[in-house]
């Protein structure tokens, strides 16, 4: 079996974190000004996506030795797990508690939820890039 080039640097993850912070701030501002409204259907979809990601990571972690992707997974796994658990927690909180449309605390939670969801997508893209063997130093 070929060993993949998984000596990935953290540039991709850092860019994902910065992008998700920017998107989270924008979402919080738009929610506070009532330009966007977060519906329960949206929260259930994000909750479901995060749970499916968590379910997929379990066999991927078990197969990481046989697929020679352990270095890739170990480099990005903390960010990926943090974003999954944060999306699950924030979506459950926003489903359980009803916030007013102009609530600052509700807007902060929505911004954090959107930011962590985009961090989930960004870290998944970083993982896919790393597994594919794309060298970041070229």
């Amino acid at each position: 079996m070929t060993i993949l080039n998984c000596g990935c640097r953290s540039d991709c993850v850092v860019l994902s974190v910065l992008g998700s912070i920017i998107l989270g701030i924008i979402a919080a501002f738009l929610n506070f000004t009532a330009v966007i409204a977060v519906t329960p259907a949206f929260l259930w979809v994000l909750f479901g996506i995060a749970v499916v990601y968590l379910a997929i990571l379990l066999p991927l972690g078990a197969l990481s030795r046989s697929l020679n992707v352990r270095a890739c997974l170990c480099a990005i796994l903390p960010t990926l797990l943090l974003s999954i658990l944060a999306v699950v927690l924030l979506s459950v909180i926003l489903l359980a508690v009803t916030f007013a449309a102009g609530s600052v605390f509700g807007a902060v939670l929505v911004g954090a939820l959107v930011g962590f969801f985009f961090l989930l997508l960004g870290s998944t893209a970083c993982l896919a890039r790393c597994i594919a063997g794309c060298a970041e130093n070229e």
Side-chain angles (χ1 to χ4, degrees), residues 73-127:
L73 194 58
C74 290
I76 300 172
L77 191 62
T79 307
L80 197 57
L81 282 175
L82 172 73
S83 60
I84 289 171
L85 295 176
V87 167
V88 168
L89 178 69
L90 289 169
S91 61
V92 167
I93 289 172
L94 286 169
L95 280 168
V97 179
T98 305
F99 292 99
S103 168
V104 175
F105 189 64
V108 169
L109 288 179
V110 168
L113 176 66
V114 170
F116 278 116
F117 180 69
F118 280 104
L119 182 60
L120 173 66
L121 297 178
S123 58
T124 303
C126 292
L127 181 64

Side-chain angles (χ1 to χ4, degrees), residues 31 36-40 42-43 94 110 113-114:
N31 189 16
I36 61 171
V38 177
T39 63
F42 176 73
L43 297 172
L94 286 169
V110 168
L113 176 66
V114 170

Side-chain angles (χ1 to χ4, degrees), residues 25-44:
I25 291 171
I26 291 170
F29 176 73
L30 291 176
N31 189 16
F32 179 70
T33 58
V35 173
I36 61 171
V38 177
T39 63
F42 176 73
L43 297 172
W44 278 111

Side-chain angles (χ1 to χ4, degrees), residues 10-22 119 122 126 129:
S10 61
D11 293 349
C12 185
V13 175
V14 170
L15 288 175
S16 295
V17 168
L18 292 176
S20 66
I21 289 171
I22 291 169
L119 182 60
C126 292
R129 181 179 180 189

